[in-house]
């Protein structure tokens, strides 16, 4: 199975609208955790060797691929990587990405079992 990635963005609910574009610091200060149930998957694709999270950020801000149905990647979005047989999840933060695998992967495996 080739390496892949998925972009997830907050749903258009009251909570999703309140949390959209908020940093992980904001979430922590207000006792929120990253919950995959509040997100919709807006894109998935093959992860080419050497592609970094920053590369994906650039692509999903400047060069939206066909089939992408979300807003430009921004704070509060999730990137889930399936790479080398491992799955990891990252929160797009104010600066860079924060690993949120501990919060996201249990629910992810229920939705998309390996």
């Amino acid at each position: 199975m080739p390496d892949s990635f998925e972009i997830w963005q907050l749903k258009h609910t009251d909570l999703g609208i309140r949390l959209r574009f908020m940093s992980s610091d904001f979430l922590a200060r207000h006792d929120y955790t990253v919950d995959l149930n509040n997100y919709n998957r807006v894109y998935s694709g093959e992860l080419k060797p050497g592609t970094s999270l920053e590369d994906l950020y650039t692509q999903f801000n400047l060069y939206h691929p066909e089939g992408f149905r979300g807003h430009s990647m921004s704070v509060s979005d999730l990137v889930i990587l399936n790479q080398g047989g491992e799955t990891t999840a990252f929160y797009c933060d104010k600066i860079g990405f924060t690993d949120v695998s501990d919060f996201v992967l249990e629910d992810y495996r229920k939705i998309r079992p390996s």
Side-chain angles (χ1 to χ4, degrees):
M1 173 181 252
D3 291 345
S4 63
F5 70 95
E6 299 176 15
I7 307 293
W8 293 68
Q9 295 178 337
L10 284 161
K11 294 177 181 177
H12 294 280
T13 62
D14 289 341
L15 180 61
I17 291 167
R18 194 167 49 246
L19 298 180
R20 187 169 291 128
F21 311 123
M22 296 299 152
S23 69
S24 62
D25 289 341
F26 174 90
L27 298 181
R29 282 194 315 270
H30 294 88
D31 295 323
Y32 290 109
T33 58
V34 179
D35 183 346
L36 191 62
N37 294 304
N38 295 325
Y39 285 80
N40 285 321
R41 186 176 61 155
V42 296
Y43 190 82
S44 63
E46 184 177 337
L47 185 64
K48 293 184 168 81
T51 302
S52 68
L53 290 166
E54 289 76 17
D55 294 335
L56 292 174
Y57 182 86
T58 299
Q59 177 182 3
F60 285 87
N61 270 282
L62 301 177
Y63 312 107
H64 295 174
E66 191 171 323
F68 177 60
R69 53 187 177 87
H71 57 76
S72 292
M73 189 184 293
S74 190
V75 174
S76 76
D77 293 349
L78 296 177
V79 179
I80 298 179
L81 302 177
N82 296 293
Q83 191 171 28
E86 280 190 51
T87 302
T88 51
F90 295 90
Y91 188 85
C92 185
D93 226 329
K94 286 191 321 189
I95 298 175
F97 291 84
T98 301
D99 189 330
V100 292
S101 299
D102 290 345
F103 299 106
V104 171
L105 293 184
E106 183 176 339
D107 287 332
Y108 180 78
R109 288 185 182 107
K110 291 176 188 172
I111 295 168
R112 305 180 78 64
S114 3

